[in-house]
Amino acid sequence: MEKITVYGAGSWGTALSYVLAQNGHDILLWSHRAEQAEEINRHSNERYLKGIRLPDSLTATSNIEEAVKHADVHVLAVPTKAMREVSADIAGYIEKPSLFVHVSKGIEPDSLKRVSELIREEIPEKWIEDLVVLSGPSHAEEVVLEHPTTVTAACENTHSAERVQDMFMNQYFRVYTNTDVIGVEIGGALKNIIALAVGITDGLGLGDNAKAAIMTRGLAEIARLGVKMGATPLTFSGLTGVGDLIVTCTSQHSRNWRAGNMLGKGKSLDEVLEEMGMVVEGIRTTKAAHQMAKAFEVPMPITEALYSVLFENVPTDEAVGHLMGRMKKNEMEDLIDLL
């Protein structure tokens, strides 16, 4: 049994807490809202996981000091934009070296830091026993229904990845290990951009051919940037590459797909965000990826087209037309470059 605190009581943080509690661990779920913590202590979190009864052994708190001091393992499930603040809060109370796990998928604009890099900037190394990334094709709504789900625990230290594997794995939640932290984080973050783009094509009614094209060429963009940053090419053929891309681009559970779909149907970005009422990581990540494409000198035409829609008020149909009218190229150029 591990003593674990999960930070972030949204759908994913709550679903992972559900898994860990079922696995017999001592779980405390931290929420920044006292009323939400009280609801979880009554075994529900209706805003994020409607109709699901949470395990009796799962408890919650809104007291960050209590949350930090409870744990030997800290699982960070807050949105990327809150990661620095929450990590700094943890650093203010931590008293012993601990294992950290993060499950967030994004890149910080301007600094262009991956989530693991943000955490290490805010929490002194002396308190980080190790840092593992848990990522993969996994909708919270299906995890709490105990539908089969597979994810990856990534860390350069295989022993730490295997500890997290043992912590989470059960009969419906299967965990693989990987040492390619960069590839796992880049795949998990950038697939949200492609899901937004696929949602737009669906909203425009452009059909399955367009969806397949965006997903396939989108994966090429993700791999192109990831490899330039030091990732292993094969990672993008795995769960955190093509696997996460498929589930995020094809499921109506996907916030990013839903947001793109509404944009494709003519709603403004402000209208989409108001209607969603939850964080859409792909919007912020599109800004970061746009900056990364320039910084690493990597061509990312789908990302550039989406950026123009989100931040330059280019109409969605015009952005699609620009993509289709690009110069001719050989499909195998990307594969040759990666290899």
Side-chain angles (χ1 to χ4, degrees):
M1 184 182 73
E2 302 267 16
K3 291 177 67 66
I4 304 170
T5 295
V6 177
Y7 301 85
S11 56
W12 192 220
T14 306
L16 291 175
S17 299
Y18 178 101
V19 172
L20 292 166
Q22 282 205 327
N23 287 358
H25 301 294
D26 182 357
I27 304 299
L28 184 62
L29 177 56
W30 175 81
S31 168
H32 72 284
R33 294 189 293 114
E35 61 273 21
Q36 186 184 31
E38 291 169 4
E39 181 192 359
I40 291 167
N41 286 327
R42 297 192 297 270
H43 314 303
S44 69
N45 190 357
E46 283 294 305
R47 178 181 176 184
Y48 293 99
L49 293 172
K50 190 173 181 61
I52 299 298
R53 178 178 171 80
L54 302 176
D56 293 345
S57 59
L58 172 58
T59 58
T61 182
S62 59
N63 184 314
I64 190 70
E65 181 177 4
E66 178 188 358
V68 174
K69 292 184 176 179
H70 167 84
D72 297 319
V73 180
H74 303 271
V75 178
L76 283 79
V78 297
T80 305
K81 68 178 182 179
M83 191 60 72
R84 281 194 184 275
E85 180 182 354
V86 173
S87 295
D89 289 342
I90 292 171
Y93 294 108
I94 195 166
E95 297 175 337
K96 59 187 176 183
S98 304
L99 178 65
F100 283 81
V101 182
H102 92 73
V103 301
S104 299
K105 300 173 180 178
I107 304 290
E108 185 177 56
D110 302 324
S111 77
L112 307 185
K113 299 289 187 180
R114 293 175 285 110
V115 175
S116 62
E117 294 175 310
L118 303 183
I119 295 168
R120 289 188 183 277
E121 286 188 352
E122 299 299 329
I123 300 175
E125 279 295 323
K126 67 178 180 178
W127 301 130
I128 300 178
E129 178 184 318
D130 220 333
L131 178 55
V132 179
V133 182
L134 189 74
S135 187
S138 46
H139 287 308
E141 297 86 349
E142 295 183 2
V143 169
V144 293
L145 294 175
E146 302 183 16
H147 291 174
T149 300
T150 54
V151 297
T152 295
C155 184
E156 292 179 5
N157 183 337
T158 302
H159 174 75
S160 296
E162 289 174 347
R163 181 179 171 190
V164 172
Q165 182 182 44
D166 291 340
M167 197 183 305
F168 281 91
M169 192 158 162
N170 60 29
Q171 72 274 13
Y172 63 87
F173 198 81
R174 182 170 177 80
V175 184
Y176 291 83
T177 61
N178 194 326
T179 57
D180 182 15
V181 174
I182 295 174
V184 166
E185 287 191 292
I186 291 299
L190 269 60
K191 55 87 184 179
N192 287 329
I193 298 174
I194 308 306
L196 276 167
V198 167
I200 287 174
T201 64
D202 284 342
L204 289 168
L206 298 182
D208 293 339
N209 294 348
K211 180 184 296 187
I214 294 292
M215 290 174 64
T216 306
R217 298 309 302 167
L219 183 62
E221 282 191 22
I222 294 169
R224 195 184 301 137
L225 178 62
V227 170
K228 190 72 176 285
M229 295 175 67
T232 302
L234 285 175
T235 297
F236 301 105
S237 67
L239 290 170
T240 59
V242 66
D244 213 351
L245 185 69
I246 289 170
V247 78
T248 311
C249 291
T250 61
S251 172
Q252 294 190 26
H253 289 312
S254 167
R255 300 177 195 177
N256 292 280
W257 180 89
R258 297 203 317 267
N261 190 254
M262 286 188 274
L263 288 168
K265 290 179 177 176
K267 293 189 176 181
S268 70
L269 181 56
D270 288 340
E271 289 172 330
V272 169
L273 292 175
E274 182 177 353
E275 186 170 332
M276 291 290 295
M278 293 187 284
V279 173
V280 182
E281 286 280 14
I283 293 172
R284 192 167 184 262
T285 305
T286 299
K287 182 178 180 181
H290 171 76
Q291 295 170 332
M292 293 172 87
K294 296 184 184 302
F296 287 93
E297 298 181 341
V298 173
M300 300 182 69
I302 296 173
T303 300
E304 297 302 320
L306 184 60
Y307 181 88
S308 72
V309 170
L310 295 176
F311 301 108
E312 296 175 341
N313 298 316
V314 172
T316 53
D317 55 350
E318 183 179 324
V320 171
H322 176 72
L323 271 176
M324 293 299 292
R326 291 169 59 242
M327 290 179 62
K328 298 182 293 183
K329 66 179 296 186
N330 188 311
E331 183 186 16
M332 291 297 103
E333 286 177 19
D334 288 319
L335 181 60
I336 292 168
D337 289 343
L338 292 178
L339 294 176

